[in-house]
Amino acid sequence: MSASVKNVGAFRIKGAGRLTPARTARFTFDGKSYTAMEGDTVASALLAHGVHLVGRSFKYHRPRGILTAGPEEPNALLDVSRDAARRQPNVRATVQEVFDGAKISSQNRWPSLSFDVGAVNNLFSPFFAAGFYYKTFMWPRQAWTKVYEPFIRRAAGLGVAPTEEDPDRYANRFAHCDVLIAGAGVAGLTAALSAASTGAEVILVDEQPEVGGALHFDTSTTIDGQDGYDWAQDTAAKLRAMPNVRVLTRTTAFGYYNHGFLGLAERVSDHLDRPGRDVPRERLWQVRAKRVIIATGSIERHMVFANNDRPGIMLASAVRTFLNHYGVAVGRNVGVYTAHDSAYEAAFDLKRAGVHIAAIVDCRDRPGEAVLAEARALGIDVLTGHSVTDTAGRLRIRSMTVARNGNFDIRKIEVDSLIVSAGWTPSVHLFSQSRGKLRWDEANRRFLPDTYAQDCVSVGGCNGTDDVAEAIDEAIAAGGGRVAVHGESRFNWTGGMIGAAEGAGPDTTVKAFIDFQHDVTAKDIRLAVREGMHSIEHIKRFTTNGMASDQGKLSNMHGLAIAAEMLDRPIPQVGLTTFRAPYTPVTYGTLVAHSRGELFDPARKTPMHELEAAEGAAFEDVGNWKRAWYFPRRGEDMATAVNRECRTVRDVAGVFDASTLGKIEVVGPDAAQFLNLLYTNAWDTLQPGKCRYGIMTREDGFIYDDGVVGRLAEDRFYVTTTTGGAPRVLHHMEDYLQTEFPHLRVWLTSTTEQWAVIAVQGPKAREIIRPFVEGVDISNETFPHMSVAECEVMGVPARLFRMSFTGELGFEVNVPADYGPTVWKAIWERTKGMGGCLYGTEAMHVLRAEKGYIIVGQDTDGTVTPDDAGLGWAVSKKKTDFVGIRGLKRPDLMREGRKQLVGLVTNRPSDVLEEGAQIVADPNQPKPMTMLGHVTSAYWSENCGRSIAMALVAGGRARIGQTLYVPMKDRTIAVEVTDTVFFDKDGGRIHG
Amino acid sequence: MLLIHCPYCEEDRSELEFRWAGEAHIARPENMAGITDEEFAEFFFLRNNEKGLTYERWRHIHGCGRFFNAARDTVTDKFLMTYKAGLPKQPVPGVSATEKAVETCEQTEGDAR
Amino acid sequence: MAELATRTLPLAGAHGGSAGVRLTPAAPAERLSLRARAEDVAALSQSLGLDLPTKPKTSASASGRTALWLGPDEWLVIAEGAGSSSSDLKAACASSGVLHSAVDVSHRNTAILVEGPGSAAAINAGCPQDLSLKSFPVGACTRTIFGKVEIVLLRTGEESFRVEVWRSFSDYAFGLLAEGARDAVL
Amino acid sequence: MRKYSVFAVAREALRGHKGWEAQWSSPEPRSSYDVVIVGGGGHGLGAAYYLAKEHGITNVAVLEKGWLGGGNTGRNTTIIRSNYLYEESMDIYEHSLKLWEGLSQDLNYNVMYSPRGVMMLSHNTHDMQSFKRHINANTLYGIDNEWLTPEQAKAYCPPLDISKTARYPINGAALQRRGGTARHDAVAWGYARAASDRGVHIIQNCEVTGIRRGPNGEVTGVDTNRGFIGAKKIGVSAAGHSSVVMEMAGVRVPLHSNPLQALVSEPLKPIFPCVVMSNTVHAYISQSDKGELVIGAGTDQYNSYSQTGGLQIITHTLDAICELFPMFRRVKMMRQWGGITDNTPDRSPIQGVTPVPNLFVNCGWGTGGFKATPGSANLFAHLIARGEPHRLAAGLTLDRFRTGRLIDEAAAAAVAH
């Protein structure tokens, strides 16, 4: 920013507002350059330069201006960018603070904002009544997708989505407090003072850059003898200095969820010229509050009359905010149309600032006495019992048409801006989100908090308490402390209306807008009712009223009143649509916060990961593990590498990283009994020092997991699970242990990550590991297949398994994980020296398939029993109970013709089937075909010199020897059904 | 995000630390192998799925690891009590399981009566 | 074979933090997952030379050993410093003569020391627990969630924590702590 | 019923749209009906329509406790596809898809069925095996579903990040081109209008509080907040509330009612041409005709009828969306909401007879009910009219939980939408 005096706008009023010209910022809007003052929003800066036209509406592409000064803004949605990657669509001009260098553009217009071709929609608007698209575009049948829908899609939408990856950072913080206060106006600040005085931990949040709420514009309120806004700043400073208070500005409490949980979105750096690298753009606060004080105030409503949407028509409170806070006059000749006293004060403020007030048109016969007297004193023309029935002006309001109520005599009054107010709607959004129940306040035509569903309380404007002194008392009580705050206002406002004003009633066809962004008019609501939409939810959905990005903050009450009138029912009987989170839109990035890139999901790596990477490993994702997939040498593609690895393992030996397999240590005197109940196999017969392959089913009898279980001692088992299954298997086991078999004396501990597991498989495996192992004789005689021993490997305590998932002589060396890298390096060096290789999961898959070993989750899904998988032998016939014993005996699980796991060989050995291919008996049958099953595993087997496959086939084992067919896109492959063992059928090698 | 009182940790903790574990007080049949198909379906599949007071199990999986029981209103999601696994079903003062549930706010607010 | 295996810590060489938070991988430690019934706690305490805590969220330390209450029958026992070994810990438990399960998890976990005025805030970037001194005083410990991983958290001082995490999750935990540390300078 | 057409709209445009009549009538309930359908969502309204149209049964009432389509019909993310794995599933979802293709014309109501393609991303070998199993089964069954390379997937959906450096890189995708979306409210309203036109009574704000039984155990009618309404047959199609309604007849069903959340972004110009789903990272997304990115989140873990869920479900989903489409991080969530899904143990629906004579049930559609609407409604009407299931729905019986003949779509895909 530069300190030199710049043109900060012709509409700045000298002496008005709280901004200082000390610092300014340059920005462009639709390519034109402007200067703003520090603290300006985009809206105030544009208005200061006399720019009202900022956007086009959604459906009719009508010119639109700035209606409000806050987050409820429906019109002024702009595209704001810092640079190409930092471009943000649909930004509220009334919220975004100007930063130096901001590039801002209007949206939803082509070729330009002032000349928008889409505005032709406005001419055809009679056709585009609510819900018209349900009634047409049906012929010809294909045309919806090909012609109409693309057209509608292009016309709809507002901003243009970013096309580059967002480089900004976002943060997340969990927080707790005794009292969370949403809103830092008079009520919220007072409640915070009160709560903080009790020593409670307090979090006070407000969506604006500074505290004060309505005090930004309301210059007639004094608190403790001070100007209201100044009091607010002093109070905030006092609160910030207290150790038990956290004040968060630019922070929106966007959602009030269950059990005192609120989501807050803090805009940390979007207002800064040059945000530091460590500063996040936005921060998500996830707060658990013991108690919540809602002090969100209320939102002013517009008047519903013909052509009430022209640029220059603005809410009274917004006009006052722009003048009293930003020092900007919204025009030079301003009219007022109101049903509420608040607009008078806007007129007073402008008048005192030297702006001409054309007239105050008040649809009421009796406005408040005090404002009427003041208007007279200031010499402002007041037309009570009159209404504005129309406006004129293409890109900005030029005149308003005024008539006495019930009278057809009209007169046009020239204006360049029009202030409107239909009164105030309490902001009950958070209260409603907390699932509190509202009641209808008939006297003031508004919904107010009634029954609370959580420990929270509403104070001030959002509770319908309009008087400042009463609001303060309410806030002090809500805070539970003892503080003295005295406030008073010059005027007590009266009035307000909801629904259509004079001249926009049911007998008219004018466009009187309710929902500006979605172009919903009063007559759209009436049409919906006429078409049988009698529920307010139906009316909302049919007209899309309140479904735009402002979520109906201005429109809901108007829509409801018009519907109620049409239905001839009292408003509370028509109901209110649900207030859904978020209160204002929240950036995805904020909700995602840290969970991106590396932190999106943990990438689990084994202790040997870096060493494997250095050996050129390609990795694959298995669950959230990264596993070495294959180890290509220079010039090798995947197939070549895998073939070499498969061959080498069987010819010499290979080293495989099996560390990811789940491991659970089961300890206690009843360990065997427990495993008896959890696995289909019997475990009491397993001797210490031995291991066994186990199958786990759920109660329904379907295979849940499998793995080798070793018995280290009478009371200690070492259970392995599948890589992906480890957490759920432990959870499943804990469930049974804690809740079904709590009498068993046994404990479970996950040791997956305690051990680095280095599998050495192949004829030379024993020779490779022998020099490293101490404390156990690993000869075939003393340490046969399926043995386990605790020993030392390279001087550290280890667990050695003699087991195999390849059908070869094999060992799995388990060492404490931190030792994994050095042990792996030593074993690999020796293996390499003997002509062996490293192999990855792909070769492991091929090698095990050559032996017909299943992979749970690949060769089984959740509908396969042990018998289906050819593992019936692993189901104990002697046990009287185990999890799954009954499920297995259900009729369909005992049925003939179930799908069974078999082998398949293609007639042409070089044809490798597709995993997932379907199998039929008759390939020439018409579709839909009868399918017998599918291919679960299929590989080129270098060792067999042909392709091999496993498949689940209906009645499969009885079909061995038969020819079946696998129809593919381009051809049909004939296959022969076989058993599942393709290599070393007698299984001698494993015992080598 | 729920706030759940763990009867073992004796503290309210975020739902993020817990895993829901189904309807409570469904005992696994002692003579599992001997029950009928109907009894098995009843045991394994059929659930009350109450609207209103429900008894359910949770596990403080990222805390003390314990399974425990809870009484909760499925309409408001309010916990009425939690208690340790193995204890019999605890009555909730002033609430009976058959009491008609309160309508959700969405239903009542959206009504066009 | 003369060659002896050496220990490689999963976070070897990791460094991070901010002006308000220092992140350091902890030195190697011996760890035991200890499980026992309430009636056997006294005997085990005696053998281990520290009072196994029986109150939720508390820990106890004596002569280089710290026992963290993780559940009503579960403790994480950490021994630091040269000369401590997991077999010592196991042997000590065994000498109690009472029923228990002692499983060596020295290498399953690794630890990150989080120190500085912003340490609690950094951890709250991913941990939903209330880490105010009132609710989580020095010595408090818990198993909890940190972003998308599970951790065991021990408050070692007013402004210092020890974060125990499974080794394959330690990169993630360190990374998220680093992010939290950057944001903890409020 | 006045026919909807472009000419009708033009005519009405010239006279201020004052000539439109109510889309469906709102009569007082009769004392009894041949068929009472409990639940005025798409499935219930559709069943009433097909009872009248295809089975000549017009003395039918649809009882809705709130407003039509106010349950899951109006709360879902409107994804339509039929590329399921098991024959029982393919039968019903493909039947449904075929009806979707002509539904606007059949109902004379534009339901905006938009076959823009549903693409399921594959991230690893397991996904690939599973998707190819689906594709091959679908192909042999006569259902379109094809495999795309990552490059082809990117060409079909340009915002997709197919870089190899992604946390879970994409190794391909399955695409059903006939899959797509439709306008959810229009489905309820279109069926209501067409059913009403054929004489069906549509009664809103009518909550069923009891089911009465006759001497032989058969149903005789329902108690409601508007009095007793007699019924020769009752069809229950109450989605998340199925357990509650069935309990009134003493029938327990294997259901869990869980919150399911969804969210939309602020409206954007067209950026996203199709529907994309990823089971591995748990996300699905499309863009509505209004320009909102429509994103489905996961179910909360616990049973609930609250129609609300936790923020963590939303953030978790957006993590995945932004990982797949990093350009969307600056897009904003505009609205989030929840529905109540009724989930069966095998994630396949239940449609069939019950132990109570003349009581029929249609439930358990879980997170996938919208796409099934026309097919389910059509077959449910057949079931009610004939007293036995249509061939295409024969496998969806309640009895499968006794026999163990499950249709385990859950086992085949982690997330079934």
Side-chain angles (χ1 to χ4, degrees), chain A residues 557-703:
Chain A
M557 291 308 294
H558 284 317
L560 182 56
I562 293 164
E565 186 190 10
M566 248 335 245
L567 288 161
D568 196 21
R569 274 193 289 200
I571 282 176
Q573 281 186 28
V574 179
L576 187 62
T577 57
T578 308
F579 293 94
R580 302 187 194 281
Y583 175 70
T584 51
V586 183
T587 313
Y588 289 179
T590 309
L591 294 163
V592 168
H594 303 294
S595 300
R596 57 189 285 184
E598 307 255 287
L599 300 179
F600 164 60
D601 203 27
R604 305 179 71 181
K605 294 171 182 165
T606 73
M608 285 80 81
H609 183 92
E610 299 306 327
L611 297 174
E612 289 161 352
E615 295 286 343
F619 292 90
E620 71 165 336
D621 289 302
V622 180
N624 45 18
W625 284 102
K626 294 277 181 196
R627 299 196 70 181
W629 196 7
Y630 57 96
F631 292 85
R633 290 185 181 160
R634 189 182 298 274
E636 281 185 339
D637 62 6
M638 180 172 170
T640 322
V642 170
N643 288 345
R644 172 184 50 74
E645 290 170 20
C646 288
R647 213 171 39 232
T648 311
V649 170
R650 297 223 187 277
D651 290 350
V652 187
V655 175
F656 176 74
D657 182 354
S659 305
T660 63
L661 283 189
K663 303 168 206 67
I664 299 165
E665 202 139 318
V666 179
V667 180
D670 300 327
Q673 201 184 335
F674 176 69
L675 293 179
N676 271 343
L677 285 162
L678 267 290
Y679 282 82
T680 62
N681 321 59
W683 297 97
D684 31 16
T685 54
L686 184 70
Q687 296 302 311
K690 297 290 172 203
C691 25
R692 180 174 290 166
Y693 172 75
I695 295 181
M696 180 178 274
T697 56
R698 293 196 318 167
E699 294 286 7
D700 58 13
F702 298 123
I703 294 178

Side-chain angles (χ1 to χ4, degrees), chain A residues 136-153:
Chain A
T136 179
F137 302 141
M138 287 177 276
W139 299 97
R141 210 196 245 207
Q142 308 302 335
W144 170 251
T145 332
K146 299 269 182 301
V147 184
Y148 305 125
E149 190 183 41
F151 177 77
I152 287 181
R153 282 172 69 111

Side-chain angles (χ1 to χ4, degrees), chain A residues 169 171-174 176 246 278 280 283 594 600 604 716 747-748 750 753-754 772 794 817-818 822, chain C residues 1 5-8 35 73 102 104-108 124-125 128-130 148 166-169 182-183:
Chain A
R169 294 177 56 245
N172 175 61
R173 184 79 61 85
F174 287 98
H176 295 74
R246 189 193 287 278
D278 273 352
R283 183 182 291 118
H594 303 294
F600 164 60
R604 305 179 71 181
R716 191 175 288 252
W747 286 281
L748 313 171
S750 170
E753 301 234 39
Q754 167 68 16
F772 304 107
M794 291 177 70
D818 289 350
T822 50
Chain C
M1 182 139 297
T6 55
R7 213 167 160 173
T8 312
R35 312 290 298 270
D73 67 347
D104 182 4
V105 293
S106 307
H107 295 233
R108 180 186 76 177
N124 274 141
Q129 284 208 25
D130 182 355
K148 297 179 179 180
W166 286 12
R167 56 182 302 125
S168 72
F169 293 122
R182 273 171 96 176
D183 191 50

